Amino acid sequence: MRAVQSAENFQNKMAMEGVPGSLGTSVGFSLRIGQTLFSSASLLFMSLGVEFYSYSAFCYLVTTMGLVIPWSCTLAVLDGYSVVVKCPVRQPGILFIIAAGDWVLSVLTLAAACSTASAVDLLFQTSSSFCTPKCCSRYQLSAAMAFLTWFLSLASALLNLWLLPSS
């Protein structure tokens, strides 16, 4: 009897939550908070050294993280509200815009992380006259945070894309 009740509770929870990690779920909220934290950390580590303006790859990372932070914050607020009210967003138009935005920002974040990582590697290998070890370490941390942001952004994009046909 208990097994039947727990199976029914699980099915009710899945019907309420939808695809775990998609828009309006607690896992989606966690993914958005992680994206916001990692992208803020990436921007912080890059901005601590004022020499980043000399390299276009670093400027590209700052610009991309400047787009990811408000996007993720806004969707984290929407996810948090949906979780508290227990009414996930399922309108096809809104889901399509969010899925498209996630994919665009995911690709931009990957490009920024890769370009920053390759520029830092090049600076490390040439000589220390272009980049002090302290600044290059910060740039490496910034690139690592950007890769973590990309990973969470890709997870959100895939899960929202999975939800899109069912709405």
Side-chain angles (χ1 to χ4, degrees):
M1 186 68 159
R2 280 190 161 171
V4 172
Q5 286 178 343
S6 64
E8 287 176 2
N9 288 342
F10 179 74
Q11 288 174 348
N12 289 338
K13 183 179 178 187
M14 287 304 290
M16 183 180 75
E17 289 252 336
V19 177
S22 63
L23 185 65
T25 62
S26 56
V27 176
F29 177 71
S30 300
L31 285 171
R32 299 295 178 184
I33 292 295
Q35 289 171 22
T36 303
L37 292 176
F38 285 133
S39 58
S40 297
S42 177
L43 186 62
L44 178 71
F45 285 128
M46 186 58 72
S47 299
L48 284 176
V50 293
E51 303 155 7
F52 80 88
Y53 289 111
S54 304
Y55 305 101
S56 60
F58 298 161
C59 291
Y60 179 59
L61 179 75
V62 168
T63 303
T64 303
M65 292 302 124
L67 293 171
V68 170
I69 292 170
W71 175 263
S72 296
C73 276
T74 303
L75 292 178
V77 168
L78 180 64
D79 281 336
Y81 178 76
S82 295
V83 167
V84 168
V85 176
K86 295 184 175 147
C87 180
V89 179
R90 296 290 183 253
Q91 289 83 10
I94 293 173
L95 285 176
F96 177 75
I97 290 170
I98 291 173
D102 277 346
W103 276 103
V104 167
L105 285 177
S106 180
V107 169
L108 290 175
T109 303
L110 178 62
C114 289
S115 65
T116 299
S118 63
V120 169
D121 187 46
L122 183 69
L123 288 173
F124 262 137
Q125 288 182 0
T126 55
S127 70
S128 61
S129 63
F130 291 112
C131 183
T132 63
K134 185 177 179 181
C135 277
C136 278
S137 296
R138 282 192 219 143
Y139 296 155
Q140 269 187 327
L141 279 173
S142 180
M145 295 296 124
F147 276 113
L148 291 172
T149 301
W150 167 73
F151 179 72
L152 293 177
S153 179
L154 180 66
S156 292
L158 286 171
L159 292 167
N160 282 322
L161 185 66
W162 187 8
L163 183 67
L164 193 58
S166 66
S167 62

